[in-house]
Amino acid sequence: MREALERELNKLTEESIRLISLVREMTEKSAEALYRQDPRLAQEVIAQDKQVDTLELKIESEAITLMARQQLVASDLRFAFTVIKALTDLERAGDYAKHVAEDVILLSKEPPLKNYITLPDMGRRLTLMLDLLAKALAERDLNAAKELLRRDDEVDGLYEEVTRELLTYMMEDPRTISKALTLMRIARSYERLGDHLENVAERVLYWLTGKMEKKPEDIY
């Protein structure tokens, strides 16, 4: 009985990692599309969003079926709930990668405001966070989940940096407002993507420890 349950749990883990990998690919491509101003690559990201939605529903159905059919111990129940709750965050992360790609297509129609360095760097840092998330899930690695939380603070710092810089552009030259607002929207999409990954990491920590970690600003 336990062997059959382990097989189902392993399948759920594998498919969750597939979902993380797909979101990672979308995030990486969105950053590269922005850096290169490549609308064709951006279109690939947009097309992949449907794959994320389909896989999300498949994993959710399998997790619910597992919980209904099997008598799960506490740690298994925490894992199943972690997967189910993480699905929404991962789907939303994919949505934000798609939003970036959509804005890249808009930006590619005109000369760039500047060389885009910091924003693609945000995207690349997010791909590293997704790598850490996959490692935390696959290897039950507490340190990987905690490192992801630390790296989200770096993404938040870059978001603040980009926002300040773009506000300066708009104040100094009103002709840049339209492009600057689009770039600010991209920065916000990446910042929100990171927040969703942070949510998943916190749930992985709950699965592994039985304790939900919250920052002081999340409580008050």
Side-chain angles (χ1 to χ4, degrees):
M1 179 71 75
R2 183 65 197 182
E3 288 182 4
L5 174 58
E6 287 292 344
R7 284 195 296 271
E8 292 190 55
L9 290 169
N10 287 338
K11 182 181 178 184
L12 203 57
T13 301
E14 290 169 7
E15 294 195 333
S16 298
I17 292 171
R18 277 182 55 209
L19 182 59
I20 293 168
S21 297
L22 186 54
V23 174
R24 183 199 187 282
E25 186 177 349
M26 292 175 67
T27 304
E28 184 177 44
K29 283 183 178 179
S30 72
E32 187 64 20
L34 176 60
Y35 181 73
R36 289 163 38 188
Q37 288 293 280
D38 187 340
R40 286 179 294 182
L41 190 57
Q43 287 288 1
E44 291 181 19
V45 176
I46 295 169
Q48 285 180 300
D49 187 55
K50 291 182 180 179
Q51 298 177 42
V52 169
D53 294 343
T54 300
L55 187 54
E56 177 208 6
L57 293 174
K58 182 176 184 292
I59 296 171
E60 181 181 51
S61 176
E62 290 176 354
I64 292 171
T65 299
L66 173 66
M67 293 172 66
R69 284 173 30 196
Q70 300 281 2
Q71 292 183 331
L72 304 181
V73 299
S75 61
D76 295 335
L77 273 173
R78 288 202 305 271
F79 173 69
F81 278 119
T82 293
V83 168
I84 289 172
K85 292 182 74 65
L87 289 173
T88 300
D89 282 298
L90 290 171
E91 189 273 336
R92 289 299 296 144
D95 283 345
Y96 281 114
K98 181 185 73 171
H99 294 336
V100 171
E102 290 167 341
D103 282 330
V104 168
I105 292 172
L106 287 177
L107 290 170
S108 68
K109 296 176 181 178
E110 299 179 15
L113 177 63
K114 52 170 284 185
N115 290 329
Y116 301 133
I117 303 297
T118 307
L119 283 172
D121 186 38
M122 286 181 72
R124 295 184 190 106
R125 288 172 188 257
L126 289 166
T127 65
L128 293 175
M129 289 168 63
L130 283 153
D131 288 339
L132 288 167
L133 182 57
K135 179 178 174 63
L137 191 63
E139 301 179 14
R140 302 188 178 196
D141 190 328
L142 278 171
N143 290 330
K146 291 177 180 179
E147 176 68 9
L148 188 158
L149 297 178
R150 187 187 69 78
R151 287 180 178 267
D152 185 59
D153 292 337
E154 296 177 358
V155 172
D156 291 342
L158 288 175
Y159 171 66
E160 296 294 336
E161 176 185 328
V162 169
T163 300
R164 288 193 300 269
E165 182 182 7
L166 291 171
L167 285 171
T168 300
Y169 268 97
M170 289 189 287
M171 288 187 292
E172 292 179 351
D173 186 354
R175 292 172 299 179
T176 67
I177 289 176
S178 179
K179 288 179 187 175
L181 287 174
T182 302
L183 291 166
M184 288 179 72
R185 192 163 60 232
I186 288 175
R188 179 60 174 166
S189 291
Y190 276 149
E191 190 268 340
R192 291 295 296 132
L193 198 161
D195 287 346
H196 284 289
L197 300 185
E198 181 182 34
N199 288 344
V200 179
E202 288 176 346
R203 291 183 181 119
V204 169
L205 288 171
Y206 170 68
W207 162 46
L208 296 175
T209 67
K211 299 178 182 178
M212 179 62 78
E213 296 201 9
K214 285 290 182 183
K215 298 178 181 178
E217 59 265 31
D218 296 324
I219 298 172
Y220 298 104

